[in-house]
Amino acid sequence: MITPVLLSGGVGSRLWPISTPEYPKQLLRISGDESLLQAAARRVMGMEETSPPVMITSRSLGRRMIEHLEEIGCAPAAVLTEPVGRNTAPAAMAAALWADPDDLLLGLPTDQLIAEVEAFRAAVREGVPAAQQGELVIFGIRPTHPHPGLGYMEVGPGPGIQPVRRFVEKPDVETARHMVELGSYLWNGGMFLARAGVLAETISRLLPGVAEQVGKAFSGARRPGDGTLELGSCFAQAPSVSVAKGLWERTSRVLAVRMDAGWSDIGSWKALGEALGRDALGNVVSGAAVVEAAKGVQVHSQGAKTAVVGVSDVVVAVANGRVLVASREMWEQAGETIERLESLF
């Protein structure tokens, strides 16, 4: 059986203010009535090969995440909560310690959109034999355009599962364009499949600090009575590192499965706009909003009536008692301004 690992500790800060630490991106109902978390869980619930998932999230969000899963009839096998987010490598180590060594763990970020569910499931099944034999398997997405905000992997030219030749993390636009034109590069979708024992051994070898502190945190875990397992305070001492940087780029062999499943990381306003669909003037309107005499505008309004008139190439987001207005040139560089605002009020 495959045990899905729902990685739900991220914040999605690039979509502030509709995504905040109190209400992160994976809880947003971007496409239809289901949240991204619910959609991620349902994709694996429909597979005969999968057992109930284990979820890893923040301590403050554990109960809310469980409620989202309960809405769709998903009862997780465990919910491990972190005292502080330390990226995906420590989360993967926690899942590996929770599982039996021979369990197949399917690591899944829960803040992504995948349109073609059966294609996703087929890719997972393609990776199972190699993972059962002790290989580290990751899933690569065929790029549709140059995206400088994602990690890329170079794979062999043949069909089927292929060794990864090298990784390129967040290249500049021209480099990304060249890699897309070559056709031998895939986006790293952040998903992985491996036996728990192999994953734990790899982390212990390459990231001993992560293995040590997460091991202590797991030994010191407690059950507060809300359906979660709280990892101990030592978890905060683990180095903050992703599985991509800490493991895949440093190990001698990683295999990649191509996944053509309508994937998007919804990691920017541009990606969100593409997922929702633009009108003939390039506008995207979501929520209680009206747009007039505008072009290339994205408006996302939650809980407030919003009018946008006579402007072009801006994003306007109203949610959670916060408002963002930014030009197309600056909406991806608003992080420092947002941090300053949050620290002032």
Side-chain angles (χ1 to χ4, degrees):
M1 298 293 287
I2 300 169
T3 300
V5 180
L6 304 178
L7 301 168
S8 302
V11 175
S13 58
R14 286 181 291 176
L15 290 181
W16 184 97
I18 66 171
S19 177
T20 66
E22 300 80 20
Y23 203 89
K25 181 173 65 169
Q26 53 267 37
L27 296 183
L28 299 179
R29 302 176 192 270
I30 288 174
S31 180
D33 296 330
E34 290 187 337
S35 67
L36 291 176
L37 170 63
Q38 291 170 332
R42 196 179 291 281
R43 280 194 291 274
V44 290
M45 288 169 62
M47 298 179 66
E48 294 180 356
E49 305 92 331
T50 59
S51 59
V54 56
M55 181 165 56
I56 304 176
T57 187
S58 67
R59 189 169 294 176
S60 61
L61 290 173
R63 187 61 239 169
R64 185 177 296 173
M65 296 288 187
I66 292 173
E67 291 170 354
H68 265 242
L69 294 182
E70 288 176 342
E71 283 183 17
I72 61 169
C74 178
V79 177
L80 312 182
T81 62
E82 306 166 335
V84 61
R86 306 306 291 158
N87 217 314
T88 52
M93 186 66 191
L97 292 174
W98 173 85
D100 291 332
D102 287 333
D103 287 351
L104 282 183
L105 299 183
L106 175 61
L108 298 173
T110 58
D111 58 356
Q112 301 177 347
L113 187 65
I114 294 179
E116 300 175 28
V117 174
E118 288 307 319
F120 161 83
R121 293 171 179 170
V124 171
R125 292 180 178 117
E126 185 178 352
V128 166
Q132 287 176 327
Q133 294 169 13
E135 302 284 3
L136 297 168
V137 177
I138 60 177
F139 298 89
I141 314 300
R142 194 180 307 278
T144 57
H145 61 279
H147 193 319
L150 295 176
Y152 290 70
M153 63 182 86
E154 184 183 15
V155 298
I161 192 167
Q162 292 286 330
V164 178
R165 294 174 173 176
R166 70 170 184 138
F167 291 89
V168 180
E169 183 67 16
K170 296 183 179 179
D172 59 52
V173 175
E174 287 305 316
T175 301
R177 181 174 292 110
H178 177 65
M179 290 191 295
V180 172
E181 291 171 352
L182 286 174
S184 57
Y185 286 85
L186 303 173
W187 288 334
N188 184 357
M191 297 169 279
F192 62 85
L193 182 66
R195 288 199 340 238
V198 172
L199 187 60
E201 184 278 328
T202 304
I203 295 173
S204 297
R205 176 165 47 86
L206 298 178
L207 299 170
V210 168
E212 178 184 5
Q213 297 302 331
V214 176
K216 292 179 180 178
F218 198 84
S219 298
R222 72 181 191 93
R223 297 187 182 277
D226 61 355
T228 68
L229 179 67
E230 287 187 355
L231 299 172
S233 60
C234 290
F235 191 90
Q237 305 306 315
S240 180
V241 58
S242 68
V243 289
K245 297 293 291 183
L247 302 183
W248 316 147
E249 294 185 17
R250 299 176 60 200
T251 192
S252 59
R253 181 177 170 87
V254 179
L255 300 181
V257 174
R258 290 179 175 85
M259 180 183 290
D260 294 311
W263 176 92
S264 173
D265 71 335
I266 315 293
S268 66
W269 291 109
K270 179 180 179 181
L272 178 58
E274 291 170 350
L276 293 175
R278 302 177 185 276
D279 65 18
L281 294 176
N283 298 322
V284 180
V285 182
S286 175
V290 174
V291 172
E292 295 286 352
K295 182 179 180 181
V297 168
Q298 285 188 221
V299 184
H300 306 272
S301 181
Q302 299 174 6
K305 296 179 180 179
T306 304
V308 178
V309 182
V311 296
S312 300
D313 298 325
V314 298
V315 58
V316 178
V318 183
N320 299 307
R322 300 163 171 92
V323 179
L324 170 69
V325 180
S327 68
R328 181 185 293 274
E329 290 75 19
M330 295 297 295
W331 62 29
E332 302 294 351
Q333 287 81 44
E336 291 185 4
T337 303
I338 292 167
E339 288 180 5
R340 188 162 66 251
L341 174 66
E342 292 284 14
S343 68
L344 290 174
F345 302 98

